[in-house]
Amino acid sequence: MQISSKFTIGVHLLVVIDYLGDSEKVTSNILAGSIGVNPVIVRNVMGNLKEAGIINISQGKSGISLARGLNEISFYDIYKAVDCVDDEGIFHFHENPNPECPIGRNIHKSMDGKLAKIQECMENEMRYITVADVAVDVKKEIEAAE
Protein backbone atom coordinates (compact mmCIF):
# COMPACT_ATOMS: atom_id res chain seq x y z
CA MET A 1 0.00 0.00 0.00
CA GLN A 2 1.33 3.39 -0.92
CA ILE A 3 -0.35 6.66 -1.69
CA SER A 4 1.31 8.54 -4.52
CA SER A 5 3.68 11.39 -3.68
CA LYS A 6 1.28 13.61 -5.63
CA PHE A 7 -0.66 13.86 -2.39
CA THR A 8 2.18 15.34 -0.33
CA ILE A 9 3.25 17.49 -3.29
CA GLY A 10 -0.30 18.88 -3.39
CA VAL A 11 -0.29 19.73 0.31
CA HIS A 12 3.20 21.24 0.06
CA LEU A 13 2.37 23.49 -2.86
CA LEU A 14 -0.82 24.74 -1.22
CA VAL A 15 1.10 25.71 1.92
CA VAL A 16 3.68 27.56 -0.22
CA ILE A 17 0.93 29.43 -2.09
CA ASP A 18 -0.60 30.47 1.23
CA TYR A 19 2.75 31.39 2.79
CA LEU A 20 3.87 33.59 -0.09
CA GLY A 21 0.40 35.10 -0.33
CA ASP A 22 0.44 38.44 -2.06
CA SER A 23 4.12 39.11 -1.32
CA GLU A 24 5.42 37.15 -4.32
CA LYS A 25 4.01 35.86 -7.59
CA VAL A 26 3.79 32.09 -7.23
CA THR A 27 4.93 30.09 -10.26
CA SER A 28 5.46 26.40 -10.92
CA ASN A 29 9.24 27.02 -10.82
CA ILE A 30 9.02 28.56 -7.33
CA LEU A 31 6.86 25.65 -6.17
CA ALA A 32 9.19 23.07 -7.76
CA GLY A 33 12.14 24.70 -6.00
CA SER A 34 10.46 24.42 -2.62
CA ILE A 35 9.21 20.89 -3.19
CA GLY A 36 12.42 19.66 -4.81
CA VAL A 37 10.86 18.13 -7.90
CA ASN A 38 10.73 18.87 -11.60
CA PRO A 39 8.34 21.73 -12.55
CA VAL A 40 6.53 19.31 -14.91
CA ILE A 41 5.47 17.22 -11.91
CA VAL A 42 4.28 20.36 -10.13
CA ARG A 43 2.29 21.48 -13.17
CA ASN A 44 0.67 18.04 -13.38
CA VAL A 45 -0.46 18.23 -9.74
CA MET A 46 -1.52 21.86 -10.20
CA GLY A 47 -3.71 20.82 -13.13
CA ASN A 48 -5.46 18.28 -10.90
CA LEU A 49 -5.94 20.86 -8.14
CA LYS A 50 -7.26 23.44 -10.59
CA GLU A 51 -9.72 20.95 -12.06
CA ALA A 52 -10.95 20.21 -8.51
CA GLY A 53 -11.49 23.94 -7.84
CA ILE A 54 -8.76 24.13 -5.21
CA ILE A 55 -6.41 26.58 -6.98
CA ASN A 56 -6.58 29.23 -9.68
CA ILE A 57 -3.87 29.51 -12.31
CA SER A 58 -3.27 32.77 -14.14
CA GLN A 59 -0.54 33.44 -16.68
CA GLY A 60 -0.68 37.11 -15.77
CA LYS A 61 0.37 39.12 -12.79
CA SER A 62 -1.24 37.01 -10.07
CA GLY A 63 0.24 33.60 -10.92
CA ILE A 64 -1.13 30.74 -8.85
CA SER A 65 -3.58 31.39 -6.03
CA LEU A 66 -5.92 29.51 -3.73
CA ALA A 67 -9.52 29.19 -4.88
CA ARG A 68 -10.62 28.37 -1.32
CA GLY A 69 -9.27 29.02 2.13
CA LEU A 70 -6.87 26.44 3.54
CA ASN A 71 -9.38 25.62 6.27
CA GLU A 72 -11.81 24.61 3.51
CA ILE A 73 -9.38 22.19 1.83
CA SER A 74 -9.22 18.79 3.48
CA PHE A 75 -6.64 16.09 2.98
CA TYR A 76 -9.45 14.09 1.39
CA ASP A 77 -10.03 16.85 -1.19
CA ILE A 78 -6.39 16.67 -2.27
CA TYR A 79 -6.31 12.87 -2.13
CA LYS A 80 -9.25 12.73 -4.54
CA ALA A 81 -8.06 15.61 -6.73
CA VAL A 82 -4.64 14.16 -7.51
CA ASP A 83 -5.93 10.64 -8.18
CA CYS A 84 -3.82 8.98 -5.53
CA VAL A 85 -5.89 5.83 -5.63
CA ASP A 86 -7.38 3.97 -8.54
CA ASP A 87 -10.65 2.06 -8.55
CA GLU A 88 -8.98 -0.93 -6.90
CA GLY A 89 -8.35 1.08 -3.76
CA ILE A 90 -5.22 1.60 -1.68
CA PHE A 91 -4.62 -2.11 -1.22
CA HIS A 92 -3.50 -3.98 -4.30
CA PHE A 93 -4.18 -7.64 -3.87
CA HIS A 94 -1.59 -10.12 -5.11
CA GLU A 95 -2.80 -11.31 -8.47
CA ASN A 96 -2.40 -15.05 -8.56
CA PRO A 97 -3.41 -16.85 -5.37
CA ASN A 98 -3.42 -20.57 -6.06
CA PRO A 99 -7.01 -21.73 -6.72
CA GLU A 100 -5.99 -25.30 -5.86
CA CYS A 101 -5.09 -24.20 -2.30
CA PRO A 102 -8.00 -23.75 0.13
CA ILE A 103 -6.43 -20.52 1.43
CA GLY A 104 -5.53 -19.21 -2.03
CA ARG A 105 -9.05 -19.95 -3.26
CA ASN A 106 -10.70 -17.97 -0.43
CA ILE A 107 -8.24 -15.32 0.73
CA HIS A 108 -9.47 -12.60 -1.62
CA LYS A 109 -13.11 -12.96 -0.58
CA SER A 110 -12.10 -13.10 3.07
CA MET A 111 -10.00 -9.93 2.96
CA ASP A 112 -11.79 -7.62 0.51
CA GLY A 113 -14.40 -6.31 2.95
CA LYS A 114 -11.84 -5.78 5.70
CA LEU A 115 -9.50 -3.87 3.42
CA ALA A 116 -12.37 -1.73 2.14
CA LYS A 117 -13.30 -0.89 5.75
CA ILE A 118 -9.72 0.18 6.50
CA GLN A 119 -9.67 2.43 3.44
CA GLU A 120 -13.03 3.93 4.38
CA CYS A 121 -11.79 4.73 7.90
CA MET A 122 -8.66 6.37 6.53
CA GLU A 123 -10.61 8.43 4.01
CA ASN A 124 -13.10 9.53 6.68
CA GLU A 125 -10.24 10.71 8.91
CA MET A 126 -8.74 12.63 5.97
CA ARG A 127 -11.94 14.67 5.77
CA TYR A 128 -11.20 16.17 9.21
CA ILE A 129 -7.62 17.27 8.57
CA THR A 130 -7.18 20.47 6.60
CA VAL A 131 -4.26 22.09 4.85
CA ALA A 132 -4.67 24.91 7.38
CA ASP A 133 -3.63 22.43 10.10
CA VAL A 134 -0.36 21.85 8.23
CA ALA A 135 0.19 25.54 7.47
CA VAL A 136 -0.16 26.45 11.15
CA ASP A 137 2.42 23.83 12.13
CA VAL A 138 4.83 24.93 9.38
CA LYS A 139 4.58 28.58 10.47
CA LYS A 140 5.30 27.57 14.08
CA GLU A 141 8.41 25.69 12.94
CA ILE A 142 9.57 28.69 10.88
CA GLU A 143 9.07 31.05 13.83
CA ALA A 144 10.86 28.69 16.22
CA ALA A 145 13.88 28.56 13.92
CA GLU A 146 14.17 32.37 13.70
Side-chain angles (χ1 to χ4, degrees):
M1 170 184 88
Q2 189 172 40
I3 293 175
S4 162
S5 64
K6 289 176 164 186
F7 173 76
T8 55
I9 290 170
V11 174
H12 188 140
L13 72 83
L14 293 172
V15 174
V16 172
I17 293 167
D18 177 67
Y19 184 76
L20 293 178
D22 297 327
S23 67
E24 190 173 338
K25 179 181 174 182
V26 181
T27 65
S28 58
N29 287 335
I30 288 172
L31 294 168
S34 176
I35 297 165
V37 297
N38 188 298
V40 173
I41 294 170
V42 170
R43 285 192 286 275
N44 180 296
V45 172
M46 286 173 23
N48 295 139
L49 295 174
K50 179 182 180 188
E51 191 175 306
I54 295 172
I55 63 170
N56 297 313
I57 302 173
S58 169
Q59 298 298 327
K61 203 175 196 181
S62 59
I64 302 154
S65 61
L66 299 172
R68 307 188 315 223
L70 291 185
N71 61 336
E72 299 172 26
I73 305 168
S74 72
F75 274 23
Y76 183 79
D77 295 331
I78 298 164
Y79 167 80
K80 285 309 226 182
V82 300
D83 296 323
C84 282
V85 177
D86 60 22
D87 291 337
E88 288 182 38
I90 59 175
F91 296 98
H92 296 284
F93 215 95
H94 51 287
E95 296 176 17
N96 299 306
N98 183 351
E100 302 302 317
C101 169
I103 305 302
R105 185 171 48 248
N106 294 294
I107 193 73
H108 211 307
K109 291 182 275 188
S110 298
M111 288 185 67
D112 285 349
K114 293 164 184 58
L115 296 176
K117 184 175 181 178
I118 292 167
Q119 180 170 338
E120 181 182 349
C121 289
M122 182 198 76
E123 290 177 354
N124 285 337
E125 189 64 26
M126 291 177 95
R127 288 176 171 90
Y128 295 104
I129 302 170
T130 68
V131 180
D133 298 326
V134 175
V136 166
D137 290 345
V138 168
K139 287 175 185 174
K140 285 179 188 174
E141 293 296 326
I142 292 169
E143 291 168 4
E146 292 177 348

